[in-house]
Amino acid sequence: MTSQTVSIEERIAELKKERNAIILAHNYQESEIQEVADFLGDSLELARKSAEIDCDTIVFCGVHFMAETAKLLNPNKTVLLPDLDAGCSLAEGCTAEMLKAYQDHLRAKLNQEIYTIAYVNCSAGVKALTDVCCTSGNAVKVVEQAPKDKHILFVPDFHLGSWLKKQTGREMTLWNGSCSVHESISRRDLMFLKQEHPDAITIAHPECVDGILDLADEVLSTAGMVAIAKKHSNQKFIVGTEANMIHRLRREGPTNIYLPAPGIPAPGEASCASCVHCPHMGLNTMDKLEACLRDGSPEVVVDPAIVPAARRAIENMLAIGR
Ligand code: SF4
């Protein structure tokens, strides 16, 4: 086969073999990356998978905190991220220094022990300061199992935390962070879309604001969205999350119709039918994936001083399950 006839997908497959590597991809990655991945999933599924797989190298197609989680669970494996700048607005809005200062303040103010629950969308440094992590897939269970004699501090997603308060009835202090992507869904245009498609089931991710969750028939993690898509056939869905999720849903429930929830239009534009894309996830491309497999970099490293505490918070979550 000449080099001109070898596709990028074939080159990635070859490089993967040479490195004894596995590609894990989040449901929000572009469709081409989803197609070459060995495993697709949400944060929890990929964290579990990374702890189980037998390989030398994990290529994590997602954002930095997810690759850090894989590294924490696999200290002896090389973990690569196609673009090290793939961050997250939630993780960036809550640093370890900010959290430590706020925990001290809250403990003194309430004169009570704090139980910190961190949504996995945070850095390893933040995880190291928490009692347990959660994902949107198991957050209700994690909150329900929190000790009753401690005050819960939930970080870093305010909207997920508000939804959890309603679901569990537990009083919590919420960190004031948010996902800029889920916040960009337009309530007005979602209402119009629902009116146009009264037969559609509206599903929304709990990172969305209250006004969007109020319009949803089901509030679901991305794993929950996959499950509902598999359960139905010839059903129309309006999907309130990052738009690449629709590629995954089409794979799992191919007879259904999926309509992306509309984003807030830019000033001067009338509508924005499909613009809910995560710019951080979008930094990973097929070219960068090939390059990182070829070069064995960029590699994700975690400060050894925080590894035991951060790992314990993730393992506490994995022990609770979905
Ligand atoms: S979709 Fe939101 S929460 Fe997910 S990586 Fe992007 S910014 Fe972070």
Side-chain angles (χ1 to χ4, degrees), residues 70-82:
K71 182 65 186 175
L72 288 167
L73 294 172
N74 297 276
N76 299 323
K77 290 176 188 158
T78 301
V79 176
L80 305 176
L81 180 63

Side-chain angles (χ1 to χ4, degrees), residues 28 63 88-90 121 179 181 207 278 280-281:
Y28 295 162
V63 293
C88 167
S89 65
L90 271 172
N121 296 32
C179 164
V181 178
E207 284 171 23
C278 175
H280 311 288
M281 291 275 182

Side-chain angles (χ1 to χ4, degrees), residues 113-129:
E113 274 310 300
I114 303 292
Y115 187 79
T116 306
I117 302 178
Y119 184 34
V120 283
N121 296 32
C122 60
S123 67
V126 165
K127 288 183 175 82
L129 292 170

Side-chain angles (χ1 to χ4, degrees), residues 20-67:
N20 187 23
I22 291 286
I23 300 175
L24 303 180
H26 191 269
N27 293 322
Y28 295 162
Q29 289 291 280
E30 63 179 38
S31 54
E32 292 81 0
I33 292 180
Q34 292 195 29
E35 290 303 314
V36 295
D38 296 289
F39 299 101
L40 283 171
D42 66 1
S43 306
L44 180 59
E45 290 169 319
L46 295 177
R48 282 188 187 288
K49 190 48 78 181
S50 77
E52 286 166 9
I53 41 184
D54 181 21
C55 64
D56 296 323
T57 298
I58 295 170
V59 184
F60 206 108
C61 295
V63 293
H64 193 267
F65 74 80
M66 297 176 181

Side-chain angles (χ1 to χ4, degrees), residues 42 44 119 134-141 205-206 221-224 321-322:
D42 66 1
L44 180 59
Y119 184 34
C134 71
T135 69
S136 49
N138 69 0
V140 169
K141 218 166 162 183
H205 193 277
S221 66
T222 59
R322 189 169 284 284

